[in-house]
Amino acid sequence: MRNIALLLAYDGTDFIGSQWQNQGRSVQGALEEAWEALTQEQKRITLSGRTDAGVHAYAQVASIRSTTRHPPLTIVRGLNARLPEDLRVQDACEVTPDFHARHSAIRRDYRYLLDASMVPLPALRHMVLHVEGRLDLAQMAEALQLLEGTHDFAAFTVQSPDQKRTVRTMHCAKLTEIELLGRRLIALEVAANAFLQHMVRVIVGTVLLVGRGRMTVSAFQQVLERGERKAAGPTAAAHGLTLMAVHYPPGLVRWESRQA
C-alpha cells in the first residue's frame, strides 16, 4: 500500500465546496471519480482542509492510500486527462505511511482580493470582491496586525458543534498590493496553523468595516477579545478567497516535478 500526495489547483466558482456532499459538484467528488477511472480503485481522498463554495485554491493538498503502480508523473497526467477544466493536479509524490494531508499540515496561507476601483473589471468578477468607496488601508493594516499570535477566534467563525476549540495561532495578517490584468488590487494575506469555518471571510468583513470608518481599531480589538460573533462584521463573499499554500514539516513532502 502506497501513500500518495497530490497538489491541486481549482477554480471554486462552480463547485459546492472542496468536500464531498450528497448533492452537488465537489472538488473531492470530481477527484475521486477521476481516480477510480484511472486506477479502478474506489478510494476516499483526504484534503488538507475544507474550502467553501466559490473559494479557489492554488495549492490545495490531498492524500490517498493506494495499490496503484503508476509513478507520480503518470498519475498527474492520467488524472488531468479525466478531470474537468476547473480542477487540476499540479504535482504528485509518494509520502511516508504516516503522512496525512490535514493532520500533518502545520500552516495554511490564504489571500483575499479586493478591488477598490470605481468600476469593476468583468474578467476578475469570480476571484475579486469589488468594494465601493475609499478605504483607510492604514487602519485596516493596523487592525489585521492585532490578529497575529495565538488567540481565541470565536468572534470570527460560525457556531458549530464540530468546532469545539476556537484557539488558533495566526502567523501573519497583513495588507499588500498586487497587479492583475493591469488593475491594482488590495490583498489581505493571512497565515495560521489552521482556520475555523468562515474565519477568513468574517475577518475580511470586519476589517472592511474598519476601512470604511464604521469600526475603530480599538473596537476591532474588543471584538477579538470578547469572542462574540454578533459583534464582528458580515461574512465576505467567498469568491475573493484563495488557498495559496499548505505547509508541512521540512522534507515530509517532496513534489516530483520540483526535484527534476
Side-chain angles (χ1 to χ4, degrees):
M1 183 70 67
R2 302 164 68 197
N3 196 13
I4 298 169
L6 305 173
L7 184 64
L8 312 176
Y10 50 84
D11 177 345
T13 303
D14 295 326
F15 286 107
I16 58 170
S18 61
Q19 188 160 320
W20 184 90
Q21 299 179 40
N22 288 328
Q23 294 182 339
R25 181 171 175 265
S26 69
V27 173
Q28 185 181 15
L31 190 59
E32 289 175 353
E33 288 178 8
W35 186 270
E36 183 176 358
L38 176 65
T39 68
Q40 288 72 58
E41 294 179 329
Q42 289 187 338
K43 292 287 186 177
R44 182 61 74 201
I45 294 176
T46 300
L47 299 176
S48 66
R50 179 185 300 182
T51 56
D52 296 329
V55 175
H56 317 294
Y58 288 162
Q60 172 73 278
V61 178
S63 59
I64 181 169
R65 297 184 183 278
S66 171
T67 58
T68 182
R69 295 184 179 181
H70 292 313
L73 294 184
T74 299
I75 290 174
V76 172
R77 290 193 293 266
L79 289 177
N80 285 333
R82 294 163 174 81
L83 285 169
E85 291 182 344
D86 50 1
L87 170 60
R88 281 292 176 265
V89 177
Q90 300 185 78
D91 215 332
C93 66
E94 194 158 353
V95 288
T96 59
D98 59 345
F99 175 86
H100 189 281
R102 180 164 64 91
H103 298 318
S104 300
I106 58 175
R107 168 173 162 158
R108 285 90 170 167
D109 295 9
Y110 280 91
R111 171 185 287 169
Y112 197 100
L113 291 179
L114 301 170
D115 182 5
S117 303
M118 182 179 296
V119 179
L121 194 62
L124 298 176
R125 70 190 185 279
H126 293 310
M127 60 187 303
V128 176
L129 177 66
H130 180 255
V131 291
E132 297 181 359
R134 295 184 61 182
L135 296 174
D136 190 328
L137 300 184
Q139 291 291 291
M140 292 171 64
E142 186 177 345
L144 281 172
Q145 195 170 30
L146 295 172
L147 301 177
E148 294 185 352
T150 301
H151 305 283
D152 187 339
F153 287 92
F156 300 101
T157 186
V158 297
Q159 292 185 344
S160 170
D162 296 333
Q163 297 190 136
K164 298 179 181 178
R165 188 170 181 269
T166 53
V167 174
R168 296 291 187 270
T169 298
M170 186 74 75
H171 301 295
C172 173
K174 63 181 181 180
L175 283 185
T176 60
E177 287 189 357
I178 67 169
E179 184 171 334
L180 193 60
L181 298 181
R183 183 67 60 94
R184 297 295 294 177
L185 303 175
I186 303 163
L188 282 80
E189 310 271 6
V190 290
N193 61 331
F195 286 88
L196 301 164
Q197 188 175 0
H198 295 176
M199 179 173 159
V200 180
R201 293 166 59 194
V202 178
I203 288 173
V204 172
T206 310
V207 169
L208 279 173
L209 293 181
V210 176
R212 288 167 170 154
R214 300 175 187 172
M215 177 183 289
T216 64
V217 173
S218 177
F220 182 91
Q221 184 172 9
Q222 290 178 10
V223 170
L224 173 63
E225 293 172 350
R226 293 177 181 175
E228 298 177 357
R229 173 63 186 92
K230 62 182 181 181
T235 304
H239 67 269
L241 184 60
T242 299
L243 174 61
M244 301 297 294
V246 182
H247 301 267
Y248 296 92
L252 193 60
V253 181
R254 295 180 177 273
W255 298 113
E256 187 76 13
S257 67
R258 298 181 188 183
Q259 296 183 69

